[in-house]
Amino acid sequence: MQVQLGFDLKLVYFLIISAILFAIGIYGVLTRRHLVHVLLSIELILNAVLINLIAFSSFSTPDKMTGQMFAVFVIVVAACEVGVGLAIILSIYRKRKSIDINNMNILKW
Amino acid sequence: MVIAGKHILHSAFYLAATLLCVAMYFILLRAEYLAAVQILVYIGSIVVLILFALMLTRTKVGEGTNITNNQKIFAALISIILFVSLALVFLYAKIEIVADSASTLKVISIKEFSSILFSKYALPFEIASVLLLAALVGSVVLAMKEKKQEEEEVEREEILEERSNQGSKVGQDLQTGKEVRGDSSIKDNLADSKNVKKGDE
C-alpha cells in the first residue's frame, strides 16, 4: 500500500523529533519537584528512544526488525518501571505525607 | 506542555496526547503493531496508573507557587546542549538507509513480526514475562506493607477511643479479647465482642 504524501518524510525528521522529545524530557527530570512529574518526564524520554529505534529499524533494516523487537521489550520494561515507581511513590507518600522531591533526603548521608 | 503544565493532572493528560502523537509517528514509520501496543499499553494503562497515583497522593506541591526547583537555567542549558549535539550527529552522520522517504518504506506484516518474535527472540520474550511478574509482585508488596501498618494504627485508635468512652475496664477486656482472637477478622468480631461485653456487665 503506497501512501502519497506531499513531501518526503526523511529519516532525519524523525530523529530530530525524537531529539526534541528527549531534550524536553531531560529538562523536566532536572527541574520538576513533583515525583510523579519526574516519572512523566521519564516516559517522554523513553518515547523519544522508541521513535529512534523504530525509525532506524524501518529505514535501515526493515527485514530483520531488530529495532522493533527491541521497542517491544522497551515498552514492557517501561510498564514495569512505572508500576514499581508508582508503588514506591505511594509508600513514600504514606510514610512522609509529601511527594516533594526536595524532601527526599532519607538516604542522604 | 507535559513539562510546562501548571497542574500535574493537566500534564498527565498532555502526556496522553503526546503518546498518541508518538503512536501516529509509528504508523508513519509502518510499525502498525507497535502503534497499537503504544496506545494500549501507554495510554490505556500507564497514564491511567499515573492518574490513580495522583489521586491517591494529594499534596500541595503541584498547585503551589513554586513547582520547579532552582536548577532551571542549568537544566535548560544541559537540554539545549544535548539537543544541539544530537541534531548535529543526526544531520552529519552517514547512516546506511534502504528507503529514502517514509512513503517508500516496506510494509511489515504482523505475521512476519510474530514469527520472528517467537523464534529468534523467544528467550527474551520469556525473560520479559518473568520481569513483568517480578514487577507485579514487587509493586504489590511495596504498596501493601504500609497499608497493613496503617490499618493496625486505625484499629488501635478505635480501641483507644472506645476505652476513653466506656471506661478502662471494658477497653482492657476488648484488648485481651483481641489478643485471644488473633489477628484475623478482628474488625468483624469487634462489634460482636463489644455487645457481648456490654451484656455481661
Side-chain angles (χ1 to χ4, degrees), chain A residues 2 9 17 27 30-33 37 43 47 58-60 63 65 68 93-94, chain B residues 2-3 19 38 42 58 66-69 71 96 98 102-103 105 108 143:
Chain A
Q2 289 289 321
L9 275 175
I17 286 282
Y27 178 76
L30 287 179
T31 54
R32 292 289 117 172
R33 279 175 63 199
H37 224 137
E43 290 307 308
N47 269 280
S58 49
F59 269 96
S60 57
D63 293 323
M65 287 191 259
Q68 293 209 13
Y93 175 72
R94 285 202 189 107
Chain B
V2 177
I3 301 305
L19 296 180
Q38 168 94 2
Y42 268 101
R58 286 193 175 278
N66 193 11
I67 54 171
T68 60
N69 55 13
Q71 304 169 342
E96 287 182 22
V98 179
S103 54
L105 280 180
I108 295 160

PDB file of all heavy atoms in Angstrom, chain A residues 2 9 17 27 30-33 37 43 47 58-60 63 65 68 93-94, chain B residues 2-3 19 38 42 58 66-69 71 96 98 102-103 105 108 143:
ATOM      1  N   GLN A   2       0.781   2.017  -1.015  1.00  0.00           N
ATOM      2  CA  GLN A   2       1.584   3.225  -1.107  1.00  0.00           C
ATOM      3  C   GLN A   2       0.747   4.427  -0.726  1.00  0.00           C
ATOM      4  O   GLN A   2      -0.382   4.594  -1.178  1.00  0.00           O
ATOM      5  CB  GLN A   2       2.095   3.408  -2.540  1.00  0.00           C
ATOM      6  CG  GLN A   2       3.154   2.403  -2.942  1.00  0.00           C
ATOM      7  CD  GLN A   2       4.462   2.671  -2.224  1.00  0.00           C
ATOM      8  OE1 GLN A   2       4.839   3.807  -2.052  1.00  0.00           O
ATOM      9  NE2 GLN A   2       5.155   1.619  -1.820  1.00  0.00           N
ATOM     10  N   LEU A   9       9.158  12.415   3.734  1.00  0.00           N
ATOM     11  CA  LEU A   9       9.470  12.295   5.154  1.00  0.00           C
ATOM     12  C   LEU A   9      10.771  11.525   5.275  1.00  0.00           C
ATOM     13  O   LEU A   9      10.797  10.314   5.131  1.00  0.00           O
ATOM     14  CB  LEU A   9       8.357  11.553   5.888  1.00  0.00           C
ATOM     15  CG  LEU A   9       7.173  12.381   6.347  1.00  0.00           C
ATOM     16  CD1 LEU A   9       6.127  11.490   6.944  1.00  0.00           C
ATOM     17  CD2 LEU A   9       7.629  13.384   7.361  1.00  0.00           C
ATOM     18  N   ILE A  17      12.754  14.970  15.699  1.00  0.00           N
ATOM     19  CA  ILE A  17      11.601  14.935  16.607  1.00  0.00           C
ATOM     20  C   ILE A  17      11.964  14.218  17.899  1.00  0.00           C
ATOM     21  O   ILE A  17      11.672  14.684  19.015  1.00  0.00           O
ATOM     22  CB  ILE A  17      10.419  14.223  15.925  1.00  0.00           C
ATOM     23  CG1 ILE A  17       9.786  15.109  14.865  1.00  0.00           C
ATOM     24  CG2 ILE A  17       9.369  13.819  16.945  1.00  0.00           C
ATOM     25  CD1 ILE A  17       8.903  16.160  15.415  1.00  0.00           C
ATOM     26  N   TYR A  27      14.933  18.084  30.520  1.00  0.00           N
ATOM     27  CA  TYR A  27      14.645  19.326  31.230  1.00  0.00           C
ATOM     28  C   TYR A  27      13.630  19.081  32.350  1.00  0.00           C
ATOM     29  O   TYR A  27      13.783  19.555  33.477  1.00  0.00           O
ATOM     30  CB  TYR A  27      14.114  20.365  30.241  1.00  0.00           C
ATOM     31  CG  TYR A  27      13.734  21.666  30.862  1.00  0.00           C
ATOM     32  CD1 TYR A  27      14.704  22.574  31.250  1.00  0.00           C
ATOM     33  CD2 TYR A  27      12.404  21.981  31.069  1.00  0.00           C
ATOM     34  CE1 TYR A  27      14.348  23.763  31.836  1.00  0.00           C
ATOM     35  CE2 TYR A  27      12.043  23.170  31.649  1.00  0.00           C
ATOM     36  CZ  TYR A  27      13.018  24.052  32.032  1.00  0.00           C
ATOM     37  OH  TYR A  27      12.672  25.224  32.621  1.00  0.00           O
ATOM     38  N   LEU A  30      15.111  17.239  35.309  1.00  0.00           N
ATOM     39  CA  LEU A  30      16.027  18.043  36.125  1.00  0.00           C
ATOM     40  C   LEU A  30      15.322  19.131  36.909  1.00  0.00           C
ATOM     41  O   LEU A  30      15.824  19.569  37.934  1.00  0.00           O
ATOM     42  CB  LEU A  30      17.099  18.678  35.238  1.00  0.00           C
ATOM     43  CG  LEU A  30      18.147  17.716  34.716  1.00  0.00           C
ATOM     44  CD1 LEU A  30      19.119  18.454  33.845  1.00  0.00           C
ATOM     45  CD2 LEU A  30      18.889  17.089  35.860  1.00  0.00           C
ATOM     46  N   THR A  31      14.163  19.614  36.433  1.00  0.00           N
ATOM     47  CA  THR A  31      13.603  20.793  37.093  1.00  0.00           C
ATOM     48  C   THR A  31      12.403  20.522  37.988  1.00  0.00           C
ATOM     49  O   THR A  31      12.193  21.272  38.933  1.00  0.00           O
ATOM     50  CB  THR A  31      13.164  21.839  36.072  1.00  0.00           C
ATOM     51  OG1 THR A  31      12.294  21.217  35.149  1.00  0.00           O
ATOM     52  CG2 THR A  31      14.345  22.417  35.355  1.00  0.00           C
ATOM     53  N   ARG A  32      11.603  19.511  37.708  1.00  0.00           N
ATOM     54  CA  ARG A  32      10.350  19.390  38.460  1.00  0.00           C
ATOM     55  C   ARG A  32      10.584  18.987  39.903  1.00  0.00           C
ATOM     56  O   ARG A  32      11.562  18.315  40.214  1.00  0.00           O
ATOM     57  CB  ARG A  32       9.447  18.352  37.801  1.00  0.00           C
ATOM     58  CG  ARG A  32       8.936  18.757  36.465  1.00  0.00           C
ATOM     59  CD  ARG A  32       7.939  19.840  36.567  1.00  0.00           C
ATOM     60  NE  ARG A  32       8.456  21.019  35.902  1.00  0.00           N
ATOM     61  CZ  ARG A  32       7.753  22.114  35.678  1.00  0.00           C
ATOM     62  NH1 ARG A  32       6.516  22.164  36.031  1.00  0.00           N
ATOM     63  NH2 ARG A  32       8.284  23.145  35.098  1.00  0.00           N
ATOM     64  N   ARG A  33       9.650  19.367  40.769  1.00  0.00           N
ATOM     65  CA  ARG A  33       9.755  18.982  42.172  1.00  0.00           C
ATOM     66  C   ARG A  33       8.781  17.872  42.532  1.00  0.00           C
ATOM     67  O   ARG A  33       8.914  17.224  43.551  1.00  0.00           O
ATOM     68  CB  ARG A  33       9.487  20.188  43.056  1.00  0.00           C
ATOM     69  CG  ARG A  33      10.691  21.079  43.190  1.00  0.00           C
ATOM     70  CD  ARG A  33      10.340  22.308  43.966  1.00  0.00           C
ATOM     71  NE  ARG A  33       9.939  21.978  45.323  1.00  0.00           N
ATOM     72  CZ  ARG A  33       9.240  22.795  46.092  1.00  0.00           C
ATOM     73  NH1 ARG A  33       8.879  23.961  45.631  1.00  0.00           N
ATOM     74  NH2 ARG A  33       8.910  22.454  47.300  1.00  0.00           N
ATOM     75  N   HIS A  37       5.680  13.955  38.412  1.00  0.00           N
ATOM     76  CA  HIS A  37       6.070  14.730  37.236  1.00  0.00           C
ATOM     77  C   HIS A  37       7.389  14.218  36.664  1.00  0.00           C
ATOM     78  O   HIS A  37       7.582  14.150  35.444  1.00  0.00           O
ATOM     79  CB  HIS A  37       6.211  16.197  37.631  1.00  0.00           C
ATOM     80  CG  HIS A  37       5.592  17.111  36.649  1.00  0.00           C
ATOM     81  ND1 HIS A  37       4.845  18.188  37.019  1.00  0.00           N
ATOM     82  CD2 HIS A  37       5.597  17.110  35.309  1.00  0.00           C
ATOM     83  CE1 HIS A  37       4.425  18.805  35.939  1.00  0.00           C
ATOM     84  NE2 HIS A  37       4.866  18.175  34.898  1.00  0.00           N
ATOM     85  N   GLU A  43       8.884   9.047  31.035  1.00  0.00           N
ATOM     86  CA  GLU A  43       8.098   8.456  29.951  1.00  0.00           C
ATOM     87  C   GLU A  43       8.396   9.155  28.633  1.00  0.00           C
ATOM     88  O   GLU A  43       8.496   8.512  27.578  1.00  0.00           O
ATOM     89  CB  GLU A  43       6.607   8.575  30.262  1.00  0.00           C
ATOM     90  CG  GLU A  43       6.155   7.694  31.387  1.00  0.00           C
ATOM     91  CD  GLU A  43       6.563   6.263  31.161  1.00  0.00           C
ATOM     92  OE1 GLU A  43       6.274   5.736  30.093  1.00  0.00           O
ATOM     93  OE2 GLU A  43       7.193   5.695  32.058  1.00  0.00           O
ATOM     94  N   ASN A  47       9.885   7.485  25.211  1.00  0.00           N
ATOM     95  CA  ASN A  47       9.216   7.554  23.916  1.00  0.00           C
ATOM     96  C   ASN A  47      10.131   8.091  22.837  1.00  0.00           C
ATOM     97  O   ASN A  47      10.053   7.650  21.687  1.00  0.00           O
ATOM     98  CB  ASN A  47       7.959   8.398  24.024  1.00  0.00           C
ATOM     99  CG  ASN A  47       6.792   7.540  24.361  1.00  0.00           C
ATOM    100  OD1 ASN A  47       6.241   6.902  23.485  1.00  0.00           O
ATOM    101  ND2 ASN A  47       6.452   7.455  25.619  1.00  0.00           N
ATOM    102  N   SER A  58      12.992   0.712  10.642  1.00  0.00           N
ATOM    103  CA  SER A  58      12.251   0.611   9.388  1.00  0.00           C
ATOM    104  C   SER A  58      12.955   1.336   8.243  1.00  0.00           C
ATOM    105  O   SER A  58      12.613   1.118   7.092  1.00  0.00           O
ATOM    106  CB  SER A  58      10.823   1.130   9.563  1.00  0.00           C
ATOM    107  OG  SER A  58      10.840   2.359  10.188  1.00  0.00           O
ATOM    108  N   PHE A  59      13.936   2.173   8.540  1.00  0.00           N
ATOM    109  CA  PHE A  59      14.652   2.823   7.437  1.00  0.00           C
ATOM    110  C   PHE A  59      15.889   2.058   6.997  1.00  0.00           C
ATOM    111  O   PHE A  59      16.261   2.124   5.834  1.00  0.00           O
ATOM    112  CB  PHE A  59      15.070   4.241   7.825  1.00  0.00           C
ATOM    113  CG  PHE A  59      14.042   5.266   7.465  1.00  0.00           C
ATOM    114  CD1 PHE A  59      13.120   5.691   8.395  1.00  0.00           C
ATOM    115  CD2 PHE A  59      13.995   5.782   6.186  1.00  0.00           C
ATOM    116  CE1 PHE A  59      12.172   6.616   8.056  1.00  0.00           C
ATOM    117  CE2 PHE A  59      13.050   6.722   5.849  1.00  0.00           C
ATOM    118  CZ  PHE A  59      12.132   7.146   6.784  1.00  0.00           C
ATOM    119  N   SER A  60      16.559   1.373   7.936  1.00  0.00           N
ATOM    120  CA  SER A  60      17.804   0.746   7.501  1.00  0.00           C
ATOM    121  C   SER A  60      17.740  -0.780   7.461  1.00  0.00           C
ATOM    122  O   SER A  60      18.292  -1.375   6.537  1.00  0.00           O
ATOM    123  CB  SER A  60      18.955   1.199   8.392  1.00  0.00           C
ATOM    124  OG  SER A  60      18.672   0.888   9.719  1.00  0.00           O
ATOM    125  N   ASP A  63      14.034  -5.802   7.156  1.00  0.00           N
ATOM    126  CA  ASP A  63      13.780  -7.234   7.087  1.00  0.00           C
ATOM    127  C   ASP A  63      14.034  -7.929   8.416  1.00  0.00           C
ATOM    128  O   ASP A  63      13.327  -8.855   8.781  1.00  0.00           O
ATOM    129  CB  ASP A  63      14.661  -7.871   6.003  1.00  0.00           C
ATOM    130  CG  ASP A  63      14.251  -7.402   4.629  1.00  0.00           C
ATOM    131  OD1 ASP A  63      13.036  -7.234   4.441  1.00  0.00           O
ATOM    132  OD2 ASP A  63      15.124  -7.193   3.781  1.00  0.00           O
ATOM    133  N   MET A  65      14.049  -6.480  11.495  1.00  0.00           N
ATOM    134  CA  MET A  65      13.146  -5.968  12.530  1.00  0.00           C
ATOM    135  C   MET A  65      13.762  -5.977  13.919  1.00  0.00           C
ATOM    136  O   MET A  65      13.059  -6.159  14.915  1.00  0.00           O
ATOM    137  CB  MET A  65      11.849  -6.754  12.560  1.00  0.00           C
ATOM    138  CG  MET A  65      10.960  -6.462  11.411  1.00  0.00           C
ATOM    139  SD  MET A  65       9.388  -7.160  11.692  1.00  0.00           S
ATOM    140  CE  MET A  65       9.512  -8.598  10.697  1.00  0.00           C
ATOM    141  N   GLN A  68      12.382  -3.071  16.052  1.00  0.00           N
ATOM    142  CA  GLN A  68      11.001  -3.207  16.518  1.00  0.00           C
ATOM    143  C   GLN A  68      10.902  -4.168  17.681  1.00  0.00           C
ATOM    144  O   GLN A  68      10.168  -3.929  18.645  1.00  0.00           O
ATOM    145  CB  GLN A  68      10.130  -3.675  15.366  1.00  0.00           C
ATOM    146  CG  GLN A  68      10.017  -2.632  14.288  1.00  0.00           C
ATOM    147  CD  GLN A  68       8.717  -2.742  13.568  1.00  0.00           C
ATOM    148  OE1 GLN A  68       7.816  -3.427  13.999  1.00  0.00           O
ATOM    149  NE2 GLN A  68       8.617  -2.061  12.448  1.00  0.00           N
ATOM    150  N   TYR A  93       4.749   8.401  50.101  1.00  0.00           N
ATOM    151  CA  TYR A  93       3.713   9.360  50.479  1.00  0.00           C
ATOM    152  C   TYR A  93       3.070   8.958  51.797  1.00  0.00           C
ATOM    153  O   TYR A  93       2.788   9.795  52.652  1.00  0.00           O
ATOM    154  CB  TYR A  93       2.667   9.439  49.379  1.00  0.00           C
ATOM    155  CG  TYR A  93       1.495  10.308  49.740  1.00  0.00           C
ATOM    156  CD1 TYR A  93       1.633  11.686  49.802  1.00  0.00           C
ATOM    157  CD2 TYR A  93       0.267   9.751  50.024  1.00  0.00           C
ATOM    158  CE1 TYR A  93       0.582  12.473  50.142  1.00  0.00           C
ATOM    159  CE2 TYR A  93      -0.798  10.540  50.368  1.00  0.00           C
ATOM    160  CZ  TYR A  93      -0.639  11.899  50.421  1.00  0.00           C
ATOM    161  OH  TYR A  93      -1.695  12.686  50.764  1.00  0.00           O
ATOM    162  N   ARG A  94       2.853   7.633  51.981  1.00  0.00           N
ATOM    163  CA  ARG A  94       2.223   7.207  53.229  1.00  0.00           C
ATOM    164  C   ARG A  94       3.128   7.460  54.411  1.00  0.00           C
ATOM    165  O   ARG A  94       2.680   7.766  55.499  1.00  0.00           O
ATOM    166  CB  ARG A  94       1.890   5.721  53.141  1.00  0.00           C
ATOM    167  CG  ARG A  94       0.708   5.458  52.270  1.00  0.00           C
ATOM    168  CD  ARG A  94       0.098   4.135  52.604  1.00  0.00           C
ATOM    169  NE  ARG A  94      -0.905   3.815  51.607  1.00  0.00           N
ATOM    170  CZ  ARG A  94      -0.724   2.898  50.693  1.00  0.00           C
ATOM    171  NH1 ARG A  94       0.380   2.206  50.655  1.00  0.00           N
ATOM    172  NH2 ARG A  94      -1.675   2.648  49.824  1.00  0.00           N
TER     173      ARG A  94
ATOM    174  N   VAL B   2       3.664  18.909  28.511  1.00  0.00           N
ATOM    175  CA  VAL B   2       3.775  17.965  29.628  1.00  0.00           C
ATOM    176  C   VAL B   2       4.615  18.569  30.733  1.00  0.00           C
ATOM    177  O   VAL B   2       4.326  18.426  31.914  1.00  0.00           O
ATOM    178  CB  VAL B   2       4.404  16.647  29.144  1.00  0.00           C
ATOM    179  CG1 VAL B   2       4.596  15.705  30.293  1.00  0.00           C
ATOM    180  CG2 VAL B   2       3.534  16.023  28.097  1.00  0.00           C
ATOM    181  N   ILE B   3       5.642  19.293  30.323  1.00  0.00           N
ATOM    182  CA  ILE B   3       6.568  19.815  31.322  1.00  0.00           C
ATOM    183  C   ILE B   3       6.085  21.152  31.874  1.00  0.00           C
ATOM    184  O   ILE B   3       6.215  21.430  33.054  1.00  0.00           O
ATOM    185  CB  ILE B   3       7.967  19.974  30.682  1.00  0.00           C
ATOM    186  CG1 ILE B   3       8.436  18.636  30.161  1.00  0.00           C
ATOM    187  CG2 ILE B   3       8.959  20.500  31.670  1.00  0.00           C
ATOM    188  CD1 ILE B   3       8.432  17.564  31.187  1.00  0.00           C
ATOM    189  N   LEU B  19       1.675  10.899  23.767  1.00  0.00           N
ATOM    190  CA  LEU B  19       1.877   9.492  23.446  1.00  0.00           C
ATOM    191  C   LEU B  19       1.057   9.100  22.224  1.00  0.00           C
ATOM    192  O   LEU B  19       1.493   8.291  21.396  1.00  0.00           O
ATOM    193  CB  LEU B  19       1.504   8.622  24.635  1.00  0.00           C
ATOM    194  CG  LEU B  19       2.364   8.827  25.866  1.00  0.00           C
ATOM    195  CD1 LEU B  19       1.907   7.916  26.976  1.00  0.00           C
ATOM    196  CD2 LEU B  19       3.795   8.565  25.548  1.00  0.00           C
ATOM    197  N   GLN B  38       1.455   0.748  21.603  1.00  0.00           N
ATOM    198  CA  GLN B  38       1.698   2.033  22.263  1.00  0.00           C
ATOM    199  C   GLN B  38       0.404   2.593  22.840  1.00  0.00           C
ATOM    200  O   GLN B  38       0.348   2.997  24.007  1.00  0.00           O
ATOM    201  CB  GLN B  38       2.274   3.004  21.233  1.00  0.00           C
ATOM    202  CG  GLN B  38       2.324   4.429  21.661  1.00  0.00           C
ATOM    203  CD  GLN B  38       3.645   4.790  22.260  1.00  0.00           C
ATOM    204  OE1 GLN B  38       4.538   3.963  22.325  1.00  0.00           O
ATOM    205  NE2 GLN B  38       3.756   6.002  22.710  1.00  0.00           N
ATOM    206  N   TYR B  42       0.541   2.326  26.781  1.00  0.00           N
ATOM    207  CA  TYR B  42       0.862   3.622  27.374  1.00  0.00           C
ATOM    208  C   TYR B  42      -0.388   4.384  27.781  1.00  0.00           C
ATOM    209  O   TYR B  42      -0.569   4.734  28.939  1.00  0.00           O
ATOM    210  CB  TYR B  42       1.689   4.458  26.398  1.00  0.00           C
ATOM    211  CG  TYR B  42       3.170   4.269  26.596  1.00  0.00           C
ATOM    212  CD1 TYR B  42       3.895   3.455  25.757  1.00  0.00           C
ATOM    213  CD2 TYR B  42       3.818   4.887  27.633  1.00  0.00           C
ATOM    214  CE1 TYR B  42       5.238   3.271  25.940  1.00  0.00           C
ATOM    215  CE2 TYR B  42       5.151   4.708  27.828  1.00  0.00           C
ATOM    216  CZ  TYR B  42       5.863   3.912  26.974  1.00  0.00           C
ATOM    217  OH  TYR B  42       7.187   3.721  27.166  1.00  0.00           O
ATOM    218  N   ARG B  58      -2.514  13.191  47.294  1.00  0.00           N
ATOM    219  CA  ARG B  58      -2.858  14.598  47.117  1.00  0.00           C
ATOM    220  C   ARG B  58      -1.952  15.455  47.981  1.00  0.00           C
ATOM    221  O   ARG B  58      -1.965  15.355  49.193  1.00  0.00           O
ATOM    222  CB  ARG B  58      -4.300  14.843  47.553  1.00  0.00           C
ATOM    223  CG  ARG B  58      -5.291  14.322  46.575  1.00  0.00           C
ATOM    224  CD  ARG B  58      -6.643  14.874  46.913  1.00  0.00           C
ATOM    225  NE  ARG B  58      -7.591  14.464  45.899  1.00  0.00           N
ATOM    226  CZ  ARG B  58      -7.712  15.103  44.758  1.00  0.00           C
ATOM    227  NH1 ARG B  58      -6.978  16.156  44.501  1.00  0.00           N
ATOM    228  NH2 ARG B  58      -8.588  14.683  43.869  1.00  0.00           N
ATOM    229  N   ASN B  66       5.670  27.432  43.604  1.00  0.00           N
ATOM    230  CA  ASN B  66       6.959  27.056  43.042  1.00  0.00           C
ATOM    231  C   ASN B  66       6.958  25.566  42.728  1.00  0.00           C
ATOM    232  O   ASN B  66       7.142  24.744  43.614  1.00  0.00           O
ATOM    233  CB  ASN B  66       8.060  27.402  44.045  1.00  0.00           C
ATOM    234  CG  ASN B  66       9.408  27.328  43.409  1.00  0.00           C
ATOM    235  OD1 ASN B  66       9.517  27.225  42.199  1.00  0.00           O
ATOM    236  ND2 ASN B  66      10.429  27.361  44.233  1.00  0.00           N
ATOM    237  N   ILE B  67       6.707  25.213  41.473  1.00  0.00           N
ATOM    238  CA  ILE B  67       6.674  23.795  41.151  1.00  0.00           C
ATOM    239  C   ILE B  67       8.004  23.319  40.607  1.00  0.00           C
ATOM    240  O   ILE B  67       8.195  22.145  40.384  1.00  0.00           O
ATOM    241  CB  ILE B  67       5.548  23.463  40.155  1.00  0.00           C
ATOM    242  CG1 ILE B  67       5.656  24.335  38.931  1.00  0.00           C
ATOM    243  CG2 ILE B  67       4.208  23.609  40.800  1.00  0.00           C
ATOM    244  CD1 ILE B  67       4.726  23.916  37.838  1.00  0.00           C
ATOM    245  N   THR B  68       8.909  24.231  40.373  1.00  0.00           N
ATOM    246  CA  THR B  68      10.222  23.798  39.906  1.00  0.00           C
ATOM    247  C   THR B  68      11.261  24.109  40.969  1.00  0.00           C
ATOM    248  O   THR B  68      11.045  24.931  41.841  1.00  0.00           O
ATOM    249  CB  THR B  68      10.611  24.519  38.611  1.00  0.00           C
ATOM    250  OG1 THR B  68      10.647  25.915  38.883  1.00  0.00           O
ATOM    251  CG2 THR B  68       9.631  24.241  37.529  1.00  0.00           C
ATOM    252  N   ASN B  69      12.372  23.442  40.880  1.00  0.00           N
ATOM    253  CA  ASN B  69      13.440  23.767  41.816  1.00  0.00           C
ATOM    254  C   ASN B  69      14.322  24.851  41.204  1.00  0.00           C
ATOM    255  O   ASN B  69      14.010  25.416  40.157  1.00  0.00           O
ATOM    256  CB  ASN B  69      14.232  22.517  42.181  1.00  0.00           C
ATOM    257  CG  ASN B  69      14.764  21.820  40.961  1.00  0.00           C
ATOM    258  OD1 ASN B  69      14.756  22.383  39.890  1.00  0.00           O
ATOM    259  ND2 ASN B  69      15.206  20.599  41.128  1.00  0.00           N
ATOM    260  N   GLN B  71      17.110  24.857  39.687  1.00  0.00           N
ATOM    261  CA  GLN B  71      18.124  24.478  38.703  1.00  0.00           C
ATOM    262  C   GLN B  71      17.678  24.795  37.283  1.00  0.00           C
ATOM    263  O   GLN B  71      18.150  24.180  36.338  1.00  0.00           O
ATOM    264  CB  GLN B  71      18.397  22.974  38.782  1.00  0.00           C
ATOM    265  CG  GLN B  71      18.800  22.501  40.137  1.00  0.00           C
ATOM    266  CD  GLN B  71      18.802  21.003  40.204  1.00  0.00           C
ATOM    267  OE1 GLN B  71      18.203  20.346  39.376  1.00  0.00           O
ATOM    268  NE2 GLN B  71      19.467  20.457  41.192  1.00  0.00           N
ATOM    269  N   GLU B  96      23.432   4.205   6.781  1.00  0.00           N
ATOM    270  CA  GLU B  96      23.009   3.399   5.634  1.00  0.00           C
ATOM    271  C   GLU B  96      21.505   3.225   5.678  1.00  0.00           C
ATOM    272  O   GLU B  96      20.957   2.630   6.597  1.00  0.00           O
ATOM    273  CB  GLU B  96      23.670   2.021   5.705  1.00  0.00           C
ATOM    274  CG  GLU B  96      25.143   2.056   5.368  1.00  0.00           C
ATOM    275  CD  GLU B  96      25.717   0.658   5.415  1.00  0.00           C
ATOM    276  OE1 GLU B  96      24.933  -0.303   5.280  1.00  0.00           O
ATOM    277  OE2 GLU B  96      26.925   0.543   5.598  1.00  0.00           O
ATOM    278  N   VAL B  98      17.903   2.103   3.540  1.00  0.00           N
ATOM    279  CA  VAL B  98      17.376   1.383   2.381  1.00  0.00           C
ATOM    280  C   VAL B  98      16.364   2.244   1.649  1.00  0.00           C
ATOM    281  O   VAL B  98      16.445   2.446   0.441  1.00  0.00           O
ATOM    282  CB  VAL B  98      16.726   0.061   2.846  1.00  0.00           C
ATOM    283  CG1 VAL B  98      16.151  -0.669   1.663  1.00  0.00           C
ATOM    284  CG2 VAL B  98      17.750  -0.788   3.569  1.00  0.00           C
ATOM    285  N   ALA B 102       9.596   8.134   3.858  1.00  0.00           N
ATOM    286  CA  ALA B 102       8.692   7.262   4.604  1.00  0.00           C
ATOM    287  C   ALA B 102       7.606   6.670   3.729  1.00  0.00           C
ATOM    288  O   ALA B 102       6.998   5.668   4.083  1.00  0.00           O
ATOM    289  CB  ALA B 102       8.056   8.042   5.751  1.00  0.00           C
ATOM    290  N   SER B 103       7.343   7.293   2.556  1.00  0.00           N
ATOM    291  CA  SER B 103       6.264   6.754   1.722  1.00  0.00           C
ATOM    292  C   SER B 103       6.716   5.523   0.946  1.00  0.00           C
ATOM    293  O   SER B 103       5.896   4.791   0.432  1.00  0.00           O
ATOM    294  CB  SER B 103       5.768   7.836   0.764  1.00  0.00           C
ATOM    295  OG  SER B 103       6.858   8.346   0.051  1.00  0.00           O
ATOM    296  N   LEU B 105       8.566   3.114   2.385  1.00  0.00           N
ATOM    297  CA  LEU B 105       9.010   2.113   3.342  1.00  0.00           C
ATOM    298  C   LEU B 105       8.354   0.768   3.065  1.00  0.00           C
ATOM    299  O   LEU B 105       7.277   0.704   2.487  1.00  0.00           O
ATOM    300  CB  LEU B 105       8.641   2.537   4.758  1.00  0.00           C
ATOM    301  CG  LEU B 105       9.546   3.549   5.420  1.00  0.00           C
ATOM    302  CD1 LEU B 105       9.024   3.841   6.797  1.00  0.00           C
ATOM    303  CD2 LEU B 105      10.944   3.010   5.507  1.00  0.00           C
ATOM    304  N   ILE B 108       5.524  -3.907   6.966  1.00  0.00           N
ATOM    305  CA  ILE B 108       5.864  -5.109   7.732  1.00  0.00           C
ATOM    306  C   ILE B 108       4.577  -5.773   8.180  1.00  0.00           C
ATOM    307  O   ILE B 108       3.766  -5.164   8.886  1.00  0.00           O
ATOM    308  CB  ILE B 108       6.733  -4.726   8.933  1.00  0.00           C
ATOM    309  CG1 ILE B 108       8.061  -4.167   8.449  1.00  0.00           C
ATOM    310  CG2 ILE B 108       6.969  -5.926   9.811  1.00  0.00           C
ATOM    311  CD1 ILE B 108       8.762  -3.362   9.476  1.00  0.00           C
ATOM    312  N   ALA B 143       3.225  -1.600  47.912  1.00  0.00           N
ATOM    313  CA  ALA B 143       2.039  -0.809  48.203  1.00  0.00           C
ATOM    314  C   ALA B 143       1.269  -1.368  49.393  1.00  0.00           C
ATOM    315  O   ALA B 143       0.549  -0.636  50.049  1.00  0.00           O
ATOM    316  CB  ALA B 143       1.122  -0.751  46.983  1.00  0.00           C
TER     317      ALA B 143
END
